[in-house]
Amino acid sequence: MFNQFRFAALFLLLFSAHLLAQKAYYPPVESWETRTPEQAKFDAEKLKAAIDFAKSSEAKVPRDMELAQAQSFGREPLGEPVGVQKPRGEQTGIIIRNGYIVAEWGEPLRVDMTHSVTKSFLSTVVGIAFDRKMIRSLQDKAGDYAALILPYNPLERFDEYGKSKLLNLFETEHNRQITWEHLLRQTSDWEGTLWGKPDWADRPDRDATTWLTRKRNEVGAVYEYNDTRVNALALAALNVWRKPLPQVLKENVMDEIGASNTWRWFGYENSFVVIDGQIMQSVSGGGHWGGGMFISA
């Protein structure tokens, strides 16, 4: 009885896998087929209602990203943009089911800013480094992987005695306790200034008297969404890879899945460093001060 049941279960499993293999559809690059809602087994009326809702629910902030950022973060100290920004296009969307395009509207091929969606691309390149054992454990101290970081500043001279031009992300007693997991989970409470943006200047307390005197939380104890610290993660990852993170993403993800070639991942005008004699831009984890991932729908 048991053997018969096991055989029947195995047969159903193999038959299901066979059906799934038959139905799997991987569209050629930039040549995706379309299906009607009926073919995709959508309720056409409900689908239209959902699309109409999306079209009518565009963000209320201006399409001019410089103005939108100023309105959103204008109260922040040192909040001036240091990276490229781009006005967004009209409300856009695309619906895909089983690899087929069922609906699209707006400008799906237009490249626009994705803001903090960029953080998913950053965690991806860190994940690849972990898979390849370039990062042995996420519980390792990030400072144990720290390299000598030389910011690229062609106008700066090196004849000022006693003043180092090197940047150290993990030199303070607090920052030495930070692991890769703390950085990825945004629980590091990393302290410092990076690319002219102090950690306390991102979404600061409304009480300005606390900006420089706030309580320093124990590493791993408190979650805080903070772009300066995400940018510190990006720079730490750049030093592990020793080549620009957009190149890492292109070679290991985007080319592999047949993504378009129109996306760009930017950093800041002042986030260039020198590694192995090459000038590289350390990318940002979002568009808060400009930069980040620019990609089409």
Side-chain angles (χ1 to χ4, degrees), residues 78-226:
L78 307 173
E80 298 79 12
V82 286
V84 64
Q85 295 175 308
K86 179 188 177 186
R88 74 172 189 271
E90 63 178 283
Q91 212 279 353
T92 292
I94 182 169
I95 296 175
I96 299 170
R97 189 170 198 181
N98 297 327
Y100 297 100
I101 296 175
V102 182
E104 54 186 328
W105 61 96
E107 303 174 89
L109 296 181
R110 175 189 166 93
V111 174
D112 271 318
M113 297 179 70
T114 66
H115 298 277
S116 284
V117 173
T118 307
K119 293 174 175 59
S120 296
F121 294 99
L122 175 57
S123 62
T124 296
V125 296
V126 175
I128 296 171
F130 173 72
D131 285 346
R132 296 189 179 183
K133 310 301 181 184
M134 298 165 71
I135 297 174
R136 295 177 296 276
S137 169
L138 296 182
Q139 282 68 51
D140 283 355
K141 300 289 195 304
D144 291 345
Y145 295 74
L148 297 177
I149 303 172
L150 177 61
Y152 176 67
N153 185 352
L155 300 180
E156 188 171 22
R157 296 182 58 85
F158 285 82
D159 58 359
E160 192 172 346
Y161 179 77
K163 182 179 180 182
S164 175
K165 301 300 188 293
L166 298 172
L167 172 62
N168 189 334
L169 292 174
F170 304 102
E171 65 179 338
T172 70
E173 181 179 352
H174 174 87
N175 288 349
R176 283 195 291 269
Q177 305 306 310
I178 294 172
T179 67
W180 289 100
E181 184 166 350
H182 293 140
L183 289 171
L184 287 162
R185 293 186 182 276
Q186 301 197 64
T187 60
S188 70
D189 207 29
W190 182 88
E191 60 184 4
T193 297
L194 185 59
W195 316 135
K197 306 297 182 182
D199 66 276
W200 53 265
D202 182 8
R203 302 169 179 85
D205 192 284
R206 292 188 179 278
D207 181 1
T209 63
T210 68
W211 288 352
L212 299 179
T213 60
R214 74 172 184 85
K215 174 180 174 292
R216 177 62 60 193
N217 297 299
E218 180 182 349
V219 172
V222 175
Y223 169 87
E224 183 181 9
Y225 194 92
N226 184 285

